Amino acid sequence: MAASPHTLSSRLLTGCVWYLERRAMRDSPHKFMHLFRNVNKQWITFQHFTFLKRMYVTQLNRSLNQQVKPKPEPVASPFLEKTSSGQAKAEIYEMKPFSPSSLSLSGKPNEEEVIELESASIIEASVDVGKEIKDEKQWKEMKLRADDLPGILARLSKIKLTALVVSTTSAGFALAPGPFDWFCFLLTSVGTGLASCAANSINQFFEVPFDSNMNRTKNRPLVRGQISPLLAVSFATCCAVPGVALLTWGVNPLTGALGVLNIFLYTCCYTPLKRISIANTWVGAVVGAIPPVMGWTAATGSLDAGAFLLGGILYSWQFPHFNALSWGLREDYSRGGYCMMSVTHPALCRRVALRHCLALIGLCTAAPLLDVTTWTFPAISLPINLYISYLGFRFYADADRKSSRKLFFCSLWHLPLLLLLMLTCKQPPGGEGDKGEPQS
Amino acid sequence: MAPGRTVRGTLVPPLCRAVTGRGRQLAPERGAECGEAAPSRVSRFCPPRKSCHDWIGPPDKYSNLRPVHFYIPEDESPSEQKLRELRQETQEWNQQFWANQNLTFRKEKEEFIHSRLQAKGLGLRAETGQKATLNAEEMADFYKEFLSKNFQKHMHYNRVFHVLIRSSVETGTSVILPSPSSWEKWPWRGCGAS
């Protein structure tokens, strides 16, 4: 403790020792000892420190440093942390069996053993110190930078999911009968987008310790401390209030009420229910079904049969999508205490997914009956509905990761395509024949 | 088995606060300051003196939670102190729960794998020398069992966590609303259970 500490990367030190070992293997032992004695001069002072844990290492001779290329510091991540500490331990085990017999010197066998033991303990302590230094370097100041904020807020609000929600709302708006009001459409889209951002941010605020423990969610902004909880909640409020206000006073009160209901269902029902009962999946499906209904009510001002049909299509779509996704996350759900069908009722999980794939065929057939689309729609949507039903059946029968992934990825393109087909087959207002025909 | 760290479920004692010092002016020794002001993990991290923000560390290898080293401003009001201490306690409580949860899960998973492999008549190592594992479908029984066995424990955690979140939001609101000008001063403070 008397000498002032110098800083050195532990990797440099460890790298030097490995280099020495390799050279000893290759060259004659005399050269090894010669090198070691040179290093030892620095290391005698260094040894004084190494037996006191968590002190900084001293700087080595430059001539040795030049012969070793230090590795760059790894990016902080739990996996890398675990891997590198594991590797360091493995290196210690490799070093220890280095027997004195390979150092066939003329005399002084004790010195060899002492040097070898010292080198092993130096390595251990240096690895410990190295881990400490690395650990300290991974601490980050929680200072928000203005250029980072848009990206952080995008991740906080789950911008891709929000975009999907807004597009389903837009589809609902476009499919509703009546003249297309661009201004109302814009207000609806912005209002729904803001409401979705708010709901997603609150959800992330509630789930920080759970998200930290799941691979899929461990890089979220609140988990990583890129944004403070205060800022996250403030952002959510700043999205929810104008969003709902826009929907209520800019569009109509019914749409505003549905927006509030959806935020409430998602943050106060679905989020806590995830850890209480498998019923959360059904509540979540309702949450996903409401946006196109909002689009419809924004255009028409009322909850018609067409609104329920659209809602029904989105509701049914949620099950193959989510159940297939959850099949690969069973370990994380179990450890995190999440009650999901894939863990507690696996057969039900697959059955429900298949059931709702088939329901999509029925709902698409009902669309022309409710004057939402022409009869072309059930015909042209049949291939993709049959395909997703086939994958749903494969998932039901095989119950493995491969079939679940295929079903999940199919659901990602199935929904946008289905909505597009619906739009092209929209039932024209009476008298304008060609408008709603599909473009071939 | 707590992984070698002391869990303090009580508030930081006044003595430690004196040692820690407001604005780090009174901190005499690096070890004492960091040992008392830091969260209950063994890390001796100490932020630079001139920093006036919280610091967040790498994920803990047992709990996967990132510890936060809370900054104590010189002019910290009683409600701000209450909020900071609440966040500190929440952090420690979460650390204890999740470290225990993950260790228990890992241990029981290993036991399950061993028992299944023995039932199959297989050794713990495959012919290649690598550790033998079960596939996801075979592990499904374990996941279901673990979840149902620990259901009450998870419910208790959820209830306590809900109370902590509510307290944090209430305390945070009471800190922010009386003096909105103070919000600019420290954008990193406030309600939250992380």
Side-chain angles (χ1 to χ4, degrees):
Chain A
M1 282 210 271
S4 57
H6 300 281
T7 54
L8 176 74
S9 163
S10 65
R11 286 180 175 273
L12 201 58
L13 176 65
T14 320
C16 289
V17 176
W18 297 335
Y19 169 75
L20 291 171
E21 190 212 20
R22 281 196 293 278
R23 281 201 58 168
M25 303 286 202
R26 216 177 52 235
D27 303 338
S28 77
H30 293 286
K31 279 189 182 170
F32 175 85
M33 284 308 299
H34 175 69
L35 272 168
F36 220 107
R37 276 200 207 96
N38 276 341
V39 173
N40 222 18
K41 279 175 193 160
Q42 276 82 11
W43 283 10
I44 287 167
T45 323
F46 174 68
Q47 274 168 31
H48 181 67
F49 296 127
T50 55
F51 294 106
L52 306 163
K53 288 210 167 190
R54 306 183 210 291
M55 293 294 288
Y56 290 112
V57 302
T58 55
Q59 198 148 14
L60 276 184
N61 198 331
R62 274 214 173 267
S63 60
L64 286 173
N65 294 353
Q66 283 164 4
Q67 289 152 352
V68 173
K69 212 191 261 181
K71 281 195 238 171
E73 285 293 323
V75 171
S77 94
F79 288 125
L80 270 174
E81 202 179 52
K82 282 177 191 156
T83 311
S84 57
S85 64
Q87 276 174 355
K89 285 198 174 75
E91 279 137 17
I92 292 170
Y93 296 136
E94 280 171 30
M95 287 296 290
K96 274 183 178 165
F98 184 76
S99 65
S101 61
S102 62
L103 296 173
S104 54
L105 292 178
S106 51
K108 302 177 193 173
N110 290 334
E111 195 181 301
E112 296 163 25
E113 284 175 24
V114 163
I115 287 167
E116 187 211 315
L117 280 169
E118 280 168 353
S119 70
S121 63
I122 286 166
I123 291 158
E124 269 190 61
S126 72
V127 166
D128 257 336
V129 172
K131 264 162 43 182
E132 272 296 308
I133 295 169
K134 199 173 63 167
D135 187 57
E136 290 196 11
K137 279 187 183 163
Q138 289 171 357
W139 280 75
K140 288 188 171 39
E141 192 174 17
M142 291 174 74
K143 197 158 92 177
L144 188 63
R145 286 163 192 85
D147 356 331
D148 294 339
L149 192 61
I152 291 169
L153 291 179
R155 283 195 297 281
L156 182 71
S157 57
K158 296 188 211 170
I159 200 77
K160 290 180 193 167
L161 177 64
T162 297
L164 183 67
V165 165
V166 170
S167 61
T168 59
T169 308
S170 310
F173 190 96
L175 279 164
F180 191 91
D181 181 348
W182 275 101
F183 185 62
C184 186
F185 173 74
L186 196 66
L187 291 179
T188 310
S189 303
V190 171
T192 310
L194 288 171
S196 172
C197 288
N200 290 330
S201 305
I202 294 287
N203 169 262
Q204 289 198 27
F205 165 71
F206 284 151
E207 301 219 295
V208 171
F210 301 96
D211 286 345
S212 307
N213 276 283
M214 288 181 56
N215 287 322
R216 194 173 65 93
T217 53
K218 67 186 183 209
N219 288 317
R220 287 184 170 171
L222 280 171
V223 172
R224 291 174 67 182
Q226 292 172 320
I227 192 172
S228 75
L230 168 67
L231 221 53
V233 173
S234 306
F235 172 71
T237 313
C238 291
C239 286
V241 171
V244 171
L246 210 58
L247 291 172
T248 309
W249 288 292
V251 182
N252 59 52
L254 177 60
T255 312
L258 285 172
V260 171
L261 174 68
N262 220 18
I263 294 175
F264 173 76
L265 272 179
Y266 186 57
T267 57
C268 302
C269 297
Y270 169 69
T271 300
L273 213 52
K274 283 203 292 190
R275 293 186 284 281
I276 297 173
S277 154
I278 59 171
N280 71 78
T281 311
W282 281 266
V283 173
V286 171
V287 170
I290 286 180
V293 175
M294 284 168 68
W296 186 284
T297 60
T300 63
S302 59
L303 276 169
D304 309 320
F308 286 109
L309 175 80
L310 268 177
I313 288 176
L314 262 292
Y315 176 83
S316 281
W317 176 83
Q318 305 289 330
F319 290 97
H321 174 74
F322 181 75
N323 286 6
L325 171 70
S326 69
W327 198 257
L329 302 172
R330 284 176 287 178
E331 177 167 355
D332 281 350
Y333 283 147
S334 173
R335 190 165 49 87
Y338 283 112
C339 293
M340 299 295 176
M341 273 192 277
S342 57
V343 181
T344 59
H345 299 79
L348 177 70
C349 177
R350 297 181 335 260
R351 211 162 49 234
V352 165
L354 176 61
R355 194 188 296 163
H356 284 273
C357 287
L358 298 169
L360 282 171
I361 300 176
L363 286 165
C364 290
T365 312
L369 293 169
L370 296 172
D371 278 336
V372 178
T373 66
T374 59
W375 278 101
T376 321
F377 174 63
I380 59 168
S381 64
L382 194 61
I384 60 170
N385 286 337
L386 281 177
Y387 182 62
I388 198 171
S389 300
Y390 166 71
L391 291 180
F393 177 74
R394 280 261 67 88
F395 176 49
Y396 174 75
D398 301 344
D400 60 6
R401 190 169 166 77
K402 185 176 163 197
S403 55
S404 71
R405 282 170 67 85
K406 283 186 103 159
L407 180 59
F408 173 71
F409 285 114
C410 174
S411 73
L412 291 179
W413 60 254
H414 175 270
L415 179 68
L417 189 54
L418 191 73
L419 292 174
L420 198 65
L421 291 174
M422 250 186 132
L423 281 167
T424 58
C425 299
K426 179 183 172 179
Q427 184 71 267
E432 296 175 38
D434 292 335
K435 218 175 178 188
E437 290 299 310
Q439 292 139 30
S440 53
Chain B
M1 174 204 41
R5 59 174 52 75
T6 48
V7 175
R8 290 175 289 139
T10 55
L11 297 179
V12 175
L15 178 64
C16 302
R17 274 204 297 280
V19 170
T20 310
R22 298 297 173 100
R24 303 201 181 90
Q25 288 172 349
L26 303 174
E29 259 194 281
R30 181 196 142 94
E33 174 186 328
C34 300
E36 301 303 346
S40 63
R41 64 197 304 268
V42 179
S43 168
R44 295 295 185 99
F45 173 76
C46 188
R49 278 179 199 275
K50 61 183 190 305
S51 167
C52 57
H53 294 98
D54 295 344
W55 283 69
I56 190 163
D60 182 77
K61 60 179 176 173
Y62 298 108
S63 69
N64 295 317
L65 303 176
R66 289 176 184 254
V68 174
H69 188 288
F70 295 99
Y71 169 67
I72 306 169
E74 288 172 33
D75 52 349
E76 189 181 54
S77 66
S79 52
E80 288 173 2
Q81 182 186 338
K82 186 179 162 198
L83 180 65
R84 177 177 53 80
E85 287 167 355
L86 179 61
R87 289 184 73 193
Q88 183 91 51
E89 280 191 49
T90 307
Q91 183 172 262
E92 289 172 7
W93 174 78
N94 264 322
Q95 167 66 26
Q96 187 186 20
F97 176 84
W98 285 102
N100 173 266
Q101 173 84 347
N102 292 336
L103 283 168
T104 310
F105 184 85
R106 207 185 300 171
K107 180 170 146 262
E108 291 186 13
K109 185 180 168 186
E110 290 289 334
E111 286 169 7
F112 177 84
I113 292 174
H114 290 173
S115 68
R116 280 291 168 104
L117 288 172
Q118 273 173 359
K120 278 195 205 177
L122 296 168
L124 295 178
R125 301 244 160 221
E127 284 167 8
T128 54
Q130 282 184 338
K131 218 167 141 180
T133 53
L134 303 173
N135 64 31
E137 308 319 315
E138 289 166 317
M139 292 302 302
D141 292 337
F142 167 70
Y143 299 143
K144 181 176 176 179
E145 192 193 320
F146 184 86
L147 196 60
S148 59
K149 203 169 73 172
N150 291 286
F151 183 73
Q152 288 306 328
K153 182 175 148 196
H154 296 156
M155 283 299 104
H156 175 73
Y157 172 83
N158 294 335
R159 274 193 289 271
V160 175
F161 190 54
H162 170 76
V163 167
L164 286 170
I165 286 187
R166 213 175 56 204
S167 309
S168 298
V169 171
E170 280 165 7
T171 314
T173 312
S174 72
V175 167
I176 297 295
L177 283 185
S179 54
S181 60
S182 68
W183 196 90
E184 283 173 19
K185 210 181 3 150
W186 41 276
W188 289 108
R189 307 294 173 272
C191 52
S194 62

